[in-house]
Amino acid sequence: MRKITYGEGIREALREKMLENKNVVLLGEDVGPYGGTFGVTKGLWEQFGEERVRDTPISEGIIVGASVGAAATGLRPVAELMFIDFLTFGMDGLVNQAAKMRYMFGGKISVPLVLRLPAGGGISAGAQHSGSLEAWVTHVPGLKVVYPSNAADAWGLMLTAIDDDNPVVYIESKVLYSQKSEVPDKVSKVPFGSAAVAREGADVSIITYGKQVHDALKAAAALAKDGIEAEVIDLRSLYPLDKETIFGSVAKTHRALVVTEEVKRGGYGGELSALISEQCFDELDAPVVRLGALDSPVPYSQVLESLVLPSVADIVKGCKEMF
């Protein structure tokens, strides 16, 4: 085992697939010589050249649109938008074209596109650069959505995403890019629809993904000091979703806390909560609890940002209130 950063995990997956398949290409703003806004593509332009690592104009509509066309005509593009917030400019290409094209052509066309979206707060980037918009994309039939929490999963999920013949939205937590974790010498593909049990417990299930997995693990350690053993489920794949692991955990603990960084109102956490309530009603000893960001744009101020986003203390409080 060795330790690498989350960002390096993504990069090494990109490198591995680019060496394996000449049709894998990268595009986006500053992905070339600069190495990407967060340094994820550093060194790939030098290794593979500007034909396969292409800087684009500052136009998310062009990036997504060009990627859809490239995917539909034989390439396997991996496109990066600087921030998930800027997906607003590329939604038509993603939602009305990429997501629907295979269905509308009766399966006679594939769109093997990966769209990388840095997301979430925690770096004082302000309201227009700190969004958590996974609910938008998980709502769209035809899209697959993944959200890794560590380097090994970031690597393995990217390998799977690039090989998939459908459009994959690959969401990345900005605060995790520099965080190191262990990866095996040979990283295997992580199948979509496969959650991981990050920590076993018998008293309450904490269901989450991305950066909140780390917050949940810290909260679980704090809860253990008070005799509450929390099980932490890292979803990894938001769609397809590993319902079996979620339901199995809830059947064991009889309590569920859903944690997401998105604004709680209308969020993906509501979908998870509804699924658990509908499918595990007889197993629950308490109502499902949802945690999310406050109903506010994410502030620039560090102090206010930490107030708006869910914290370790919020998770601890949410779990204790169920007992």
Side-chain angles (χ1 to χ4, degrees), residues 13 20 87 118 128 130 133 148 178 181 190 192 217 264 269 295 300:
E20 178 184 299
L87 180 59
Q128 295 174 330
S130 303
L133 305 176
S178 60
S181 57
V190 174
F192 291 168
L217 290 171
K264 180 179 174 181
D295 198 0
Y300 174 78

Side-chain angles (χ1 to χ4, degrees), residues 233-296:
I233 305 298
D234 180 356
L235 293 181
R236 304 196 293 192
S237 174
L238 306 190
Y239 187 83
L241 179 66
D242 185 355
K243 299 178 185 178
E244 183 178 348
T245 296
I246 296 171
F247 298 161
S249 178
V250 173
K252 178 171 67 171
T253 67
H254 307 293
R255 293 174 176 84
L257 178 76
V258 176
V259 185
T260 67
E261 189 174 314
E262 57 182 352
V263 172
K264 180 179 174 181
R265 171 169 55 96
Y268 181 68
E271 171 69 10
L272 296 172
S273 176
L275 279 171
I276 296 167
S277 297
E278 290 169 358
Q279 300 298 321
C280 304
F281 182 80
D282 291 337
E283 297 288 355
L284 290 168
D285 289 343
V288 180
V289 174
R290 285 184 295 147
L291 282 182
L294 301 183
D295 198 0
S296 165

Side-chain angles (χ1 to χ4, degrees), residues 80-300:
E80 175 188 337
L81 303 189
M82 283 187 174
F83 298 91
I84 195 172
D85 312 72
F86 302 163
L87 180 59
T88 49
F89 294 102
M91 282 295 268
D92 179 67
L94 181 66
V95 172
N96 282 325
Q97 306 304 326
K100 297 180 173 72
M101 193 173 287
R102 192 171 195 177
Y103 171 78
M104 294 181 71
F105 282 89
K108 295 181 180 180
I109 195 169
S110 297
V111 188
L113 156 68
V114 180
L115 184 61
R116 294 183 45 230
L117 300 175
I123 63 169
S124 293
Q128 295 174 330
H129 303 79
S130 303
S132 293
L133 305 176
E134 52 266 33
W136 290 9
V137 286
T138 52
H139 184 69
V140 181
L143 298 180
K144 297 183 179 181
V145 184
V146 297
Y147 203 148
S149 69
N150 58 69
D153 287 345
W155 190 328
L157 285 168
M158 181 60 78
L159 295 179
T160 305
I162 293 174
D163 281 346
D164 201 295
D165 286 333
N166 301 282
V168 178
V169 178
Y170 186 101
I171 307 178
E172 306 163 11
S173 174
K174 297 194 291 288
V175 297
L176 296 182
Y177 279 129
S178 60
Q179 183 166 315
K180 288 189 173 184
S181 57
E182 288 187 338
V183 298
D185 292 332
K186 175 59 179 175
V187 178
S188 300
K189 294 167 68 173
V190 174
F192 291 168
S194 172
V197 180
R199 183 189 192 277
E200 292 193 357
D203 298 322
V204 59
S205 300
I206 304 175
I207 296 129
T208 188
Y209 49 87
K211 186 255 185 184
Q212 274 60 49
V213 172
H214 302 274
D215 289 347
L217 290 171
K218 292 175 183 176
L223 288 164
K225 295 177 181 177
D226 293 326
I228 299 173
E229 292 297 330
E231 182 154 288
V232 178
I233 305 298
D234 180 356
L235 293 181
R236 304 196 293 192
S237 174
L238 306 190
Y239 187 83
L241 179 66
D242 185 355
K243 299 178 185 178
E244 183 178 348
T245 296
I246 296 171
F247 298 161
S249 178
V250 173
K252 178 171 67 171
T253 67
H254 307 293
R255 293 174 176 84
L257 178 76
V258 176
V259 185
T260 67
E261 189 174 314
E262 57 182 352
V263 172
K264 180 179 174 181
R265 171 169 55 96
Y268 181 68
E271 171 69 10
L272 296 172
S273 176
L275 279 171
I276 296 167
S277 297
E278 290 169 358
Q279 300 298 321
C280 304
F281 182 80
D282 291 337
E283 297 288 355
L284 290 168
D285 289 343
V288 180
V289 174
R290 285 184 295 147
L291 282 182
L294 301 183
D295 198 0
S296 165
V298 179
Y300 174 78

Side-chain angles (χ1 to χ4, degrees), residues 45-46 50 257 302:
W45 182 83
E46 290 80 359
E50 62 184 0
L257 178 76
Q302 266 190 345

Side-chain angles (χ1 to χ4, degrees), residues 16-35:
E16 180 177 333
K17 283 299 176 184
M18 292 182 79
L19 289 169
E20 178 184 299
N21 187 344
K22 63 180 177 60
N23 288 326
V24 178
V25 297
L26 311 183
L27 66 157
E29 299 165 23
D30 291 331
V31 299
Y34 187 73

